[in-house]
Each structure stands twice: as structure tokens, then as C-alpha cells.
Amino acid sequence: MELKSGFAVLVGRTNVGKSTLLNALVGTKIAIVTPKPQTTRDTYHGILTRDSVGQIVFVDTPGIFKTQPSKLVANLHHKVRDAIEGIDVVIHVADPTRSLGIEDQRVCDLVNQVGKPKILVLNKADLPDRSYRETWLERGGNYASVVEVSALTGQNVDLIIQAIFRHLPAGPLHYPAGQVTNVTNEFWIAELIREKLYLKTNQEVPYTATVKIETVEDRRDKAGRPLIYIKAVILTTDDRHQRMLIGQGARKIRDIGSFARKELEVAMNKKVFLDLDVLIDDEWMDRLD
Ligand SMILES: Nc1nc2c(ncn2[C@@H]2O[C@H](COP(=O)(O)OP(=O)(O)OP(=O)(O)O)[C@@H](O)[C@H]2O)c(=O)[nH]1
Ligand SMILES: [Mg+2]
């Protein structure tokens, strides 16, 4: 039997659970997840290969977000539009616990323009109060399938996979079986640090910051045991935010660093030394591609 193969892009308003869903679909943590909007800033591929069935390349995208115009937000929205080009299936992820607003309308408009099969995913099925479920279901006629899932618990996530395979064309695999993402190790480390930064800071602080990895090296500790040495810098455009990121007695930066280090050690199954600094760089947003 011919294998099916293609790209399925996850789009939706910010915070609906696209990245949580990407991780659940692939079965491993590829994308970072936080309760704050605008967490994802890049398009990631999460790859699912099923023997004798085929391969789905899921494309996570930044959420559509209404805010004051900024270079960062313009760049994020541009990335979503780019990600939709050349895909085979659109997965519109929606959150039925929140009222529909202008951001949802923008996503619907974007999705409507794509002449490919569309699947509507109503996420957060584990939550009791899904007041806007009916409103979304009324829009179901615009989609090839409607699926209600919980990305958090994994409930019904396989139904999305089955629906996508029904719509994918036959073709060669885009990635070798066994590869789960196109994200490089360095990028993933930077993202994990950024996730902890989002979780440990408030208000505007996460939105003026990015993380840059300077070094990732295999080294040995004083006792000769192997460790991974990582040097990373948090760049922020705002000097007040730099002070907040460092915190009194450098407590905040140490807190972010140790939170990230613990998860890196589990994921890499090695001791990690994370050397983390905070610097001002008011041009990092200008350098986004
Ligand atoms: N209860 C519940 N919470 C969920 C579910 N899926 C995601 N969340 C939570 O929703 C929040 C946002 O999740 P993300 O996966 O970061 O959302 P996103 O759509 O990728 O957000 P952006 O990257 O900012 O566009 C996090 O706090 C998640 O834990 C779900 O199925 N049930
Ligand atoms: Mg995300």
C-alpha cells in the first residue's frame, strides 16, 4: 500500500493550546508551553511516522494576537501566513472556554482563504465550562471534520491523526522515520530557557526578551564526570526589564537558570552547567527574519 505523507499546519488564536497539541500529537515535548499569550515565536515541525500508514509533519505556528503593532507581532503574523503556504491540511485549533473575538475572526478569515481540507479542533475538552462550544459547532459546516479533544490529557488526540491521514495525499516521506522534529538542539535549549523566563516573570518582561545560545560543549566537572556546559544570554530591549530579570541579589536569574537546568538535565540525561546572563540589546527584534 502506498504511504501517505504531507504537512498539517496548526493555526489558531494565541493560547488555545496549539503547542500543547503538537507535543501530544507527536508524543514528546518539542514546543514550549506557558499560560501566557504569544509564547510560540517560530514555526516548528513535529513529525509523526506510522508504519505502513505514512507520515504527518505538523507545523506549529505563533498564535494570532491583537495588540499594539510591534515588530515582533508583525513578524509572528507573517510567519503564520508563510507556514500556511504549501501545506496539505489546516488544523484550526479553538478554545471553547473563551468568547469569540476579533482574533478568532482573523483566524477564520485566514483559514477560509486556504483551498485545502480543514479540521476544526475544539481543545480543552477536560474543562467543565465550555460555554462557546455550541457557537463553534455551528461553524462546523466549513470544515471537513470537527474533533473535540484535550491536548492536556491526550483525550481524542488520535482522532485528529486519523482525520488528517484520510485527507493526506500519497507520497514520499519528508523526514526519515524516527526523526520527531526539525528543531536543532541549540534552538530547543534556547526555547526551554525562554519558557522558564515566561513562567518566572510578569507583565511585559517576557515580550521584550529573547534567548541566545553562545556555547554548548561537552566538558568534565572537577571530579572528571561528563557534563554539558551551556552559555546563554537573555537579551532584552529595556533596561528596567534587565534589572527585573536579574532580580535582587541575582535571585531571579538564578531561579530561571536552575529551573531550566533541571529540565535540561532530565531531557539530556546528563549533568548540565548553565551559565546565564542578561544583556541589553535594543535591536534583537530588528534582526528577526
Ligand atoms: N485545561 C487545559 N489546558 C490546556 C489544554 N491545552 C493547552 N492548555 C493550556 O493552555 C495554555 C496555552 O497553551 P499553549 O500550548 O502554549 O497555547 P498556544 O496556542 O501554543 O499559545 P501561543 O504559542 O501563545 O499561540 C497553557 O497553560 C496550557 O497548559 C487542554 O487541553 N486543557
Ligand atoms: Mg504555542
Side-chain angles (χ1 to χ4, degrees):
M1 203 179 69
E2 252 189 315
L3 294 180
K4 293 191 158 194
S5 168
F7 290 84
V9 69
L10 297 156
V11 293
R13 210 197 58 212
T14 187
N15 231 18
V16 293
K18 298 176 295 299
S19 299
T20 312
L21 188 58
L22 178 86
N23 295 341
L25 287 160
V26 177
T28 181
K29 178 168 171 179
I30 291 164
I32 61 167
V33 168
T34 82
K36 293 194 169 69
Q38 266 191 288
T39 298
T40 303
R41 291 184 186 165
D42 280 281
T43 47
Y44 305 72
H45 290 180
I47 305 145
L48 178 84
T49 311
R50 291 226 165 134
D51 288 348
S52 343
V53 184
Q55 183 178 75
I56 306 170
V57 179
F58 295 101
V59 186
D60 189 14
T61 63
I64 299 290
F65 191 65
K66 178 174 74 73
T67 179
Q68 311 88 308
S70 79
K71 278 186 186 139
L72 179 60
V73 172
N75 176 270
L76 298 183
H77 288 174
H78 178 72
K79 280 183 179 152
V80 180
R81 271 179 225 109
D82 271 5
I84 289 180
E85 303 273 314
I87 53 88
D88 300 289
V89 178
V90 178
I91 306 166
H92 178 175
V93 187
D95 178 353
T97 70
R98 292 195 43 191
S99 63
L100 282 72
I102 187 160
E103 295 162 346
D104 294 287
Q105 197 47 53
R106 281 192 194 161
V107 180
C108 289
D109 293 346
L110 197 67
V111 167
N112 281 337
Q113 288 165 20
V114 187
K116 294 285 164 131
K118 295 152 200 156
I119 298 171
L120 176 63
V121 171
L122 301 188
N123 191 28
K124 310 200 181 180
D126 56 293
L127 294 178
D129 187 12
R130 285 174 292 136
S131 313
Y132 302 91
R133 181 175 172 268
E134 292 299 325
T135 318
W136 278 111
L137 289 177
E138 281 162 20
R139 297 178 173 219
N142 298 334
Y143 298 84
S145 312
V146 181
V147 191
E148 295 187 77
V149 311
S150 168
L152 198 65
T153 67
Q155 178 198 337
N156 280 353
V157 162
D158 207 65
L159 295 181
I160 305 176
I161 295 170
Q162 292 169 28
I164 295 170
F165 272 127
R166 278 200 295 278
H167 295 295
L168 277 194
L173 305 190
H174 293 279
Y175 287 99
Q179 184 169 345
V180 292
T181 184
N182 65 338
V183 164
T184 64
N185 197 32
E186 261 191 27
F187 179 78
W188 190 78
I189 294 169
E191 285 291 90
L192 204 80
I193 297 168
R194 198 166 62 79
E195 179 183 74
K196 305 318 179 203
L197 184 158
Y198 264 60
L199 294 172
K200 295 282 181 185
T201 58
N202 291 318
Q203 285 127 15
E204 289 302 306
V205 178
Y207 302 108
T208 64
T210 189
V211 178
K212 194 169 128 218
I213 303 297
E214 304 215 310
T215 314
V216 180
E217 255 172 31
D218 284 314
R219 288 192 186 173
R220 293 200 172 260
D221 68 9
K222 288 196 189 87
R225 287 175 300 233
L227 68 77
I228 301 179
Y229 171 84
I230 299 168
K231 169 135 188 65
V233 282
I234 296 173
L235 304 175
T236 172
T237 54
D238 186 311
D239 55 357
R240 198 170 52 91
H241 292 179
Q242 182 191 35
R243 287 194 295 279
M244 289 159 89
L245 279 160
I246 295 169
Q248 280 219 321
R251 265 205 291 276
K252 181 62 81 185
I253 188 69
R254 277 211 298 270
D255 197 17
I256 295 170
S258 84
F259 197 10
R261 177 180 53 77
K262 282 179 193 147
E263 190 167 333
L264 287 167
E265 286 185 333
V266 172
M268 296 172 144
N269 199 20
K270 260 195 193 150
K271 208 166 170 268
V272 169
F273 184 92
L274 177 57
D275 183 356
L276 197 54
D277 261 335
V278 188
L279 300 176
I280 301 277
D281 178 348
D282 46 22
E283 288 175 356
W284 73 259
M285 287 185 201
D286 297 330
R287 292 195 299 270
L288 294 171
D289 34 70

